Amino acid sequence: EVQLVESGGGLIHPGGSLRLSCAASGFTLRSYWMHWVRQAPGKGLVWVSRANSGGSDTHYEDSVKGRFTISRDNDKNMLYLQMHSLRAEDTALYYCARGDNYAWDPLDVWGQGTTVTVSS
Amino acid sequence: QSALTQPASVSGSPGQSITISCTGTSSDVGGYNYVSWYQQHPGKAPKLIIYAVSNRPSGVSNRFSGSKSGNTASLTISGLQAEDEAEYYCNSYTSSPSSVFGTGTKVTVL
């Protein structure tokens, strides 16, 4: 079964750091662009970041540029999102999602998400 | 990157057809045929229902169809059913390059 499972969320103080992980199973991660998407409580989806199959080409939403870093370990079938300088507005459910061969391909597999709460 | 504009809510009776619009700019919706649509039921992860403007993934009902004209993409749900009640989001590749979702539309089946 093709599956994505996120972990690493939690309660963090403003200014803190957190690393999210996404474990892929049922498919070979190295063949796909991978994305992070977030959803604040009661709000809509917001695309956050994506990385190409090798991790060398990465893109970010403007509000997280310079604070978040997407990376991947294809040998371990893992995707990561390192988050620094966290703000209250980063509070959200974070999903990892699978693209395909190109940056513009749709997201056809989603995890269930991991919750990040930034609060003092 | 500003979110694509969708109506906050659309409703219809069972069996009817409804259309959800998704308006962007020439830097996203209007510039690329890379618009996708996602359905999200409460407490669930989003599900891809349309990609590349008008293509349906395997297993998605043919009651869902997509189109685009200029800077506006549209999702039509025909033969509305109770199970279609959900939040719907459009998404587009952008010239930044990045990606952007729409503001979301709540579909209510009356």
Side-chain angles (χ1 to χ4, degrees):
Chain A
E1 180 190 6
V2 173
Q3 195 173 12
L4 296 169
V5 178
E6 303 91 338
S7 60
L11 174 63
I12 188 78
H13 292 311
S17 299
L18 205 59
R19 188 178 83 154
L20 306 184
S21 300
C22 172
S25 59
F27 69 100
T28 303
L29 190 74
R30 69 176 71 251
S31 299
Y32 297 87
W33 278 82
M34 293 297 295
H35 300 243
W36 288 97
V37 176
R38 67 184 180 185
Q39 187 169 33
K43 302 296 184 181
L45 300 175
V46 176
W47 176 84
V48 173
S49 181
R50 64 177 167 233
N52 70 339
S53 57
S56 60
D57 192 9
T58 59
H59 306 142
Y60 297 93
E61 191 262 335
D62 285 347
S63 72
V64 308
K65 280 181 184 174
R67 299 189 300 125
F68 290 11
T69 302
I70 189 172
S71 63
R72 55 198 295 162
D73 185 335
N74 289 332
D75 291 334
K76 295 182 178 178
N77 252 20
M78 294 291 294
L79 178 73
Y80 304 102
L81 186 68
Q82 179 68 55
M83 305 184 294
H84 294 296
S85 303
L86 283 163
R87 308 165 179 166
E89 53 265 37
D90 296 319
T91 294
L93 180 64
Y94 284 74
Y95 293 102
C96 70
R98 188 180 80 171
D100 203 335
N101 293 323
Y102 301 100
W104 49 79
D105 283 329
L107 309 181
D108 68 340
V109 178
W110 294 66
Q112 288 304 306
T114 186
T115 299
V116 173
T117 303
V118 184
S119 175
S120 54
Chain B
Q1 179 71 51
S2 298
L4 307 175
T5 301
Q6 298 180 230
S9 63
V10 173
S11 61
S13 299
Q16 285 187 331
S17 293
I18 61 169
T19 297
I20 302 168
S21 61
C22 168
T23 302
T25 69
S26 58
S27 296
D28 38 65
V29 174
Y32 307 93
N33 287 324
Y34 301 132
V35 175
S36 51
W37 290 89
Y38 300 85
Q39 176 193 62
Q40 187 180 34
H41 287 107
K44 300 294 187 181
K47 174 189 174 184
L48 175 68
I49 57 173
I50 293 288
Y51 68 95
V53 175
S54 59
N55 295 274
R56 276 187 313 275
S58 173
V60 172
S61 171
N62 59 9
R63 298 185 298 104
F64 294 95
S65 61
S67 63
K68 192 186 87 166
S69 178
N71 295 338
T72 298
S74 298
L75 172 73
T76 297
I77 309 175
S78 306
L80 201 60
Q81 298 180 1
E83 67 208 48
D84 300 330
E85 190 160 290
E87 195 83 19
Y88 291 82
Y89 296 91
C90 59
N91 176 273
S92 176
Y93 180 80
T94 82
S95 61
S96 300
S98 65
S99 181
V100 62
F101 280 96
T103 50
T105 298
K106 180 175 175 57
V107 168
T108 300
V109 181
L110 302 171

